Amino acid sequence: MRKLMLLPAIAAMLAVGSAKSADAAYCNAISYQDCGGCASASDVVPAASGGCGTHTVMKTVRETVYEQVQETRYRTRYVRSTEQREVQATRMVPVTTQKEVQYTVMKPVYETRTKVINYTVKKPVYETKTRVINYTVQRPVYETKTRVINYTVQKPVYETKTRVINYTVKRPVYETKTRVINYTVQKPVYETKTRVINYTVQKPVYETKQRTINYTVYRNVQEQKTRTVNYTVYNTVREQRSRTVTKSRMVPETYTRTIQVRGGHWETQTYEVPGPTRTRVIREPGTCTWDPCQCKNVYTPGCCRTETYQCAPRTCTKRVWHPTCETKEITCTRYRRECYTVEVPYTVCRQVAECRTKEVCYTVCRRVPECRTKVCNYTVCRMVCEPRQKTCTYKVCRMVCEPRQKTCTYKVCRMVCEPRQKTVCYKVCRMVCEQRQKTCTYKVCRMVCEPRQKTCNYTVCRMVCEPRTKTVCYKVCRMVPECRTRTVCCTTMQKECYTKTICVPKCEKVCEPYTVTRCVPRTICKQVPVQVCCPAPASCGGCNSGCGC
């Protein structure tokens, strides 16, 4: 029983072994890849030892193709429309009524009267008077004085000294040397080869198709309607009235007051100003010294010293103000506020309501749906595979190493220390204090009081009262009440029921068909030629697969 169960396994192993022997007919040298050395599918190129030949084998390839399929689908669309409906409504309507109103008006009555006014006028009387003014003047008195000033001056004293300086100098020493350099150069070697490339080109094929599209267009429909509008107009009525206004005015009034007047005069004075003290730099004479290092005379400039001196004095002038004080009386005018009464007419405006009616035209616009149809052309593109072949020539570059040699000459520099010595002359300056003395002359000014006297004439104004009389005409206004009657329009609002037409929107559900094109994938099998590379019979001598080589 166990032997019978092993029979299918042995048969499967024999089938696999036969398949392996068939695959190894060319010692596993068959490949579906491009060898690059074959010209066509029918030519088999015999090869030497280690070469190969090619032939064409048909290979089954699966390819996915997309086909366009049209389907009819349905979609729900909501169509909006309006419907006219009559509705009962209430509105407020103005009602105008007229009534008579009694009112009282104050009517002015004017009377002309006369009165005598006694008043006093102040008449100015001028008098000329004389007075003597005593005043004091400050007079300058100058005195010349002398004083002695002791000061110290720093005087430079120079000394020449010498010192020896030891220093080291580095001197370059050059040597010439030679060395051999071995290097390698990469030299390119080019080879030209050829191979055949098989490729596939996708070629587009265009088809023109048509489809019908349904769409809805909304068209505007306008209607002209008329309605009555009640409105109120306010008319302006003007009335003349008068009122009493109290005003004020400024009346001039003259008075006298005593003031202090400050005066004076200018005097020119001369004084002497000492000259400014300045500083100047003076250079001492230089010397020539023999320098053994440079083998020539070297000029050494002298040292600089600072000297202070004073410039000549100068004479200046200045103006001095001498003040004076005087007393005098002046006439001034001031203004006094005085009140008086004036009758001023004015106009009063009031608004009177008036009801009017007018016809107003307005436009009502509603949208009416309209179904339309149009035919659209569209193009469908599908790609068709087309096999092609081309031969390419290319170059292969490989680098070959080539040894070379060159001789280089170079210099080596080394620094050698060399001691040297030089003598340097220098000057030392020290400051020595020296006492000096000078005499300065200066002026001192002191003010001396000097009494003086002068006579002034001035005018005095005094006001003398003078009585006068005048007759004045004036008007007296008294208000007399007067009863009047007027008609007044009164507007009241009343409720009124009316019927109006309104547009009620509604929405309808519509199911409409439409066409959809979709791509459906489909797998197809097709035969594709493939170049197979196989070895020569001589290369298969060691194969025991029974390939017949």
Side-chain angles (χ1 to χ4, degrees):
M1 193 69 180
R2 291 181 179 177
K3 292 181 180 180
L4 292 175
M5 293 177 64
L6 292 173
L7 287 176
I10 295 170
M13 292 175 65
L14 289 175
V16 173
S18 63
K20 287 183 178 180
S21 63
D23 290 340
Y26 295 101
C27 298
N28 294 328
I30 297 177
S31 174
Y32 289 103
Q33 296 180 357
D34 187 10
C35 294
C38 302
S40 64
S42 61
D43 297 335
V44 178
V45 182
S49 59
C52 70
T54 60
H55 66 279
T56 305
V57 177
M58 300 304 291
K59 182 181 178 181
T60 302
V61 179
R62 294 178 180 273
E63 183 180 358
T64 302
V65 179
Y66 291 89
E67 295 183 352
Q68 294 185 353
V69 178
Q70 291 189 352
E71 293 183 358
T72 301
R73 297 182 182 179
Y74 294 90
R75 62 187 173 193
T76 301
R77 186 170 59 85
Y78 292 92
V79 179
R80 297 181 181 272
S81 61
T82 57
E83 180 182 357
Q84 292 188 354
R85 186 183 301 174
E86 292 185 354
V87 180
Q88 294 293 330
T90 304
R91 63 186 175 188
M92 302 300 291
V93 178
V95 177
T96 305
T97 58
Q98 292 185 353
K99 65 178 180 179
E100 293 186 354
V101 178
Q102 298 287 336
Y103 66 99
T104 303
V105 177
M106 299 300 289
K107 183 178 180 182
V109 176
Y110 295 95
E111 296 180 6
T112 303
R113 297 180 181 179
T114 304
K115 66 178 179 179
V116 178
I117 298 174
N118 296 319
Y119 63 98
T120 304
V121 176
K122 288 197 173 185
K123 185 177 180 182
V125 177
Y126 295 95
E127 297 179 7
T128 303
K129 295 184 179 182
T130 304
R131 67 177 173 182
V132 177
I133 299 173
N134 298 318
Y135 63 96
T136 304
V137 176
Q138 295 281 340
R139 185 171 57 83
V141 177
Y142 294 94
E143 296 179 8
T144 303
K145 294 185 180 182
T146 304
R147 65 178 175 180
V148 177
I149 299 174
N150 297 319
Y151 64 96
T152 304
V153 177
Q154 295 282 340
K155 183 177 180 182
V157 177
Y158 296 93
E159 296 179 8
T160 302
K161 295 185 179 182
T162 305
R163 64 178 175 181
V164 178
I165 298 174
N166 297 319
Y167 63 97
T168 304
V169 178
K170 287 197 173 185
R171 183 171 56 86
V173 178
Y174 296 94
E175 295 180 8
T176 303
K177 294 185 179 182
T178 306
R179 66 178 175 181
V180 178
I181 300 173
N182 297 318
Y183 63 98
T184 304
V185 178
Q186 295 281 341
K187 186 176 179 183
V189 177
Y190 296 93
E191 296 179 8
T192 303
K193 294 185 178 182
T194 307
R195 66 177 176 182
V196 178
I197 299 173
N198 296 316
Y199 63 98
T200 304
V201 178
Q202 297 281 340
K203 186 176 180 181
V205 178
Y206 297 93
E207 295 181 10
T208 303
K209 295 185 179 182
Q210 290 184 348
R211 64 178 175 185
T212 304
I213 298 174
N214 297 319
Y215 63 98
T216 303
V217 177
Y218 285 90
R219 183 167 52 85
N220 294 329
V221 178
Q222 295 184 351
E223 297 180 5
Q224 296 287 336
K225 294 186 178 183
T226 307
R227 64 182 175 187
T228 303
V229 178
N230 296 319
Y231 65 99
T232 303
V233 177
Y234 288 90
N235 297 324
T236 304
V237 178
R238 299 177 181 271
E239 294 182 3
Q240 293 290 334
R241 296 182 183 180
S242 62
R243 62 184 173 187
T244 303
V245 178
T246 301
K247 295 185 179 181
S248 62
R249 61 187 173 191
M250 303 303 292
V251 179
E253 183 180 341
T254 305
Y255 67 98
T256 304
R257 69 172 182 174
T258 305
I259 62 171
Q260 298 287 333
V261 179
R262 295 183 179 273
H265 62 278
W266 291 96
E267 290 186 2
T268 303
Q269 296 180 0
T270 305
Y271 64 96
E272 186 175 331
V273 178
T277 302
R278 297 182 180 177
T279 305
R280 60 186 175 188
V281 179
I282 301 175
R283 182 181 293 277
E284 298 291 337
T287 57
C288 290
T289 309
W290 173 259
D291 189 357
C293 298
Q294 301 181 8
C295 295
K296 63 178 182 180
N297 288 324
V298 178
Y299 176 75
T300 304
C303 297
C304 296
R305 60 185 178 86
T306 305
E307 184 180 7
T308 304
Y309 66 98
Q310 188 175 12
C311 297
R314 56 194 178 92
T315 302
C316 301
T317 59
K318 64 179 180 180
R319 299 180 67 193
V320 179
W321 172 257
H322 294 277
T324 59
C325 186
E326 299 177 3
T327 303
K328 65 179 181 178
E329 292 185 359
I330 61 171
T331 302
C332 300
T333 303
R334 61 187 172 192
Y335 287 85
R336 180 172 49 84
R337 187 178 297 276
E338 180 180 292
C339 297
Y340 64 98
T341 305
V342 180
E343 292 290 333
V344 178
Y346 66 97
T347 304
V348 178
C349 297
R350 56 188 181 86
Q351 300 289 330
V352 178
E354 179 184 349
C355 296
R356 296 183 184 179
T357 305
K358 67 177 178 180
E359 297 289 333
V360 178
C361 296
Y362 65 97
T363 304
V364 178
C365 179
R366 56 189 182 88
R367 299 175 65 82
V368 179
E370 180 180 343
C371 296
R372 296 185 183 178
T373 305
K374 65 178 179 180
V375 178
C376 295
N377 297 326
Y378 65 97
T379 303
V380 178
C381 175
R382 58 187 182 85
M383 305 303 290
V384 179
C385 296
E386 180 180 340
R388 294 187 182 178
Q389 195 178 47
K390 64 178 179 180
T391 303
C392 294
T393 302
Y394 62 97
K395 283 186 177 183
V396 178
C397 175
R398 57 188 181 87
M399 305 302 289
V400 179
C401 295
E402 180 180 339
R404 293 187 182 179
Q405 195 177 43
K406 66 179 179 179
T407 303
C408 294
T409 302
Y410 63 96
K411 283 186 177 184
V412 177
C413 175
R414 58 187 181 85
M415 304 302 289
V416 178
C417 293
E418 180 180 337
R420 293 189 182 179
Q421 195 178 42
K422 65 178 179 180
T423 304
V424 178
C425 295
Y426 64 96
K427 283 188 176 183
V428 178
C429 176
R430 57 188 181 84
M431 303 303 290
V432 179
C433 295
E434 181 180 342
Q435 299 291 332
R436 294 188 182 180
Q437 195 177 42
K438 65 178 178 180
T439 303
C440 294
T441 302
Y442 62 97
K443 285 185 177 182
V444 177
C445 176
R446 59 187 181 85
M447 304 303 289
V448 178
C449 294
E450 180 181 338
R452 293 188 183 180
Q453 194 177 43
K454 66 177 179 180
T455 303
C456 295
N457 296 323
Y458 63 97
T459 303
V460 177
C461 175
R462 57 186 181 86
M463 304 303 289
V464 179
C465 295
E466 180 181 340
R468 293 186 183 181
T469 305
K470 66 178 179 180
T471 303
V472 178
C473 296
Y474 64 97
K475 284 186 178 182
V476 177
C477 176
R478 56 187 182 86
M479 305 302 288
V480 178
E482 181 180 342
C483 292
R484 295 183 184 180
T485 305
R486 66 180 176 185
T487 303
V488 180
C489 295
C490 298
T491 302
T492 58
M493 304 300 290
Q494 294 183 359
K495 282 188 177 181
E496 180 186 7
C497 295
Y498 70 100
T499 303
K500 67 176 180 179
T501 303
I502 61 173
C503 293
V504 180
K506 65 177 183 177
C507 187
E508 297 180 359
K509 187 176 181 181
V510 178
C511 184
E512 62 178 12
Y514 67 97
T515 304
V516 177
T517 302
R518 66 185 184 90
C519 295
V520 179
R522 185 169 65 88
T523 305
I524 60 174
C525 297
K526 65 178 181 178
Q527 299 291 326
V528 178
V530 179
Q531 298 291 331
V532 179
C533 179
C534 62
S539 64
C540 197
C543 181
N544 297 323
S545 61
C547 60
C549 297

